[in-house]
Amino acid sequence: MSTGSVRTLADPVVGSEVRVEPKETPGIEINGLPADLDHVVKADVRVDLGGDANRAFVVEHVLGPLGLRGVTAARVTGRVETWDFARPEHRFCYSTSLPPSNVVGHPAGLPNPDLARAVGEVDIVGDVPSRTTVSEPVTVEAGGGRLTLRPRAYGAGVRFEASYGEASLAAEIDPKGETDDALVERVTTSTTPYLSSDDTEGVTHAVADLVSDVCVLGGFDDLVVEAELGEAYHALTVGAAREARKRGVVVAREG
């Protein structure tokens, strides 16, 4: 969502793996790391943030539900205290000498439905003074897929037209958090395609990842996103947001 906007929680909430607190300044931080494109150090089968010997693992499982609820400013801290070495991200985190709380991804590969529900039960305060789109279409190919960002009218929100395997899904996301509750519940309770062989469940889960990477990390509010998702699709979603910025076609508009 627009990086200059502040829409934050009125009260702290707790979800699986994380605690989220209000923040008065723009942007979301996870374990002290800004959730922006400059701090993405891994984007393939998962997204990690990094900087200054710090790292946060599987951040899309936090950023997706926050974006679905319209939160643009928050302070997130991990709350896991024990290792689960069956999970590759835990093994990687252990090898860096960081604590298990630096892994903020859901253990069952979900976009943290507990967090989405908790945020939906508190007031969201603040406003989005400007909205961001692209001035022209941007298409990238990466991770075995193809994604196009297209301009959309001011205030229209983000429409995802996504496919994964044999399944497809269209979803309308409101960056002010007025996204349909049934859609939020369906998306956040769908397992990652890396743990499920069901393409329909996979593409539904991917909507949260698209919100994480395109809307939150990329900072977009009004777009049509056409996505043919392959394996390691975070390279595609993060890559498209980076390409738009590289090409200088990112446009912030006032209402």
Side-chain angles (χ1 to χ4, degrees):
M1 312 296 179
S2 297
T3 55
S5 63
V6 175
R7 280 178 50 81
T8 193
L9 298 78
D11 300 289
V13 299
V14 173
S16 174
E17 318 299 292
V18 295
R19 174 181 172 86
V20 181
E21 298 177 340
K23 184 170 173 281
E24 296 181 355
T25 54
I28 296 171
E29 293 181 359
I30 300 180
N31 286 355
L33 291 165
D36 58 31
L37 294 175
D38 291 336
H39 288 83
V40 173
V41 294
K42 180 181 176 65
D44 43 37
V45 297
R46 69 172 194 260
V47 179
D48 294 352
L49 302 176
D52 296 329
N54 192 12
R55 188 160 178 146
F57 298 79
V58 203
V59 299
E60 69 271 19
H61 287 177
V62 175
L63 299 179
L66 291 179
L68 285 165
R69 292 300 190 191
V71 175
T72 66
R75 186 167 289 106
V76 180
T77 53
R79 52 192 294 264
V80 176
E81 298 181 351
T82 58
W83 293 109
D84 180 358
F85 291 122
R87 298 174 62 188
E89 55 268 30
H90 273 247
R91 297 195 297 271
F92 193 141
C93 184
Y94 181 81
S95 74
T96 66
S97 299
L98 291 168
S101 57
N102 280 53
V103 179
V104 296
H106 194 282
L110 304 176
N112 210 325
D114 290 343
L115 176 59
R117 294 173 192 137
V119 175
E121 293 172 357
V122 300
D123 290 334
I124 304 298
V125 295
D127 197 8
V128 181
S130 66
R131 297 174 70 103
T132 302
T133 188
V134 290
S135 58
E136 61 185 51
V138 175
T139 299
V140 296
E141 296 184 9
R146 178 184 176 92
L147 187 146
T148 299
L149 307 177
R150 297 192 185 278
R152 205 175 191 200
Y154 180 91
V158 181
R159 177 177 175 81
F160 294 109
E161 299 175 357
S163 64
Y164 181 85
E166 299 298 319
S168 61
L169 177 67
E172 293 278 350
I173 304 300
D174 177 12
K176 287 194 173 184
E178 298 301 323
T179 301
D180 179 66
D181 281 336
L183 176 63
V184 174
E185 179 72 11
R186 181 183 172 198
V187 167
T188 57
T189 55
S190 293
T191 306
T192 174
Y194 309 115
L195 297 177
S196 171
S197 59
D198 185 313
D199 288 349
T200 298
E201 183 169 25
V203 76
T204 306
H205 172 100
V207 170
D209 292 341
L210 287 159
V211 171
S212 163
D213 300 355
V214 175
C215 299
V216 181
L217 292 170
F220 290 104
D221 305 282
D222 298 319
L223 286 176
V224 174
V225 181
E226 300 167 354
E228 300 173 14
L229 301 171
E231 300 297 328
Y233 58 68
H234 292 287
L236 180 68
T237 52
V238 171
R242 282 176 164 162
E243 180 65 17
R245 185 166 68 170
K246 178 182 176 182
R247 287 173 48 183
V249 298
V250 178
V251 179
R253 303 172 297 185
E254 301 292 334

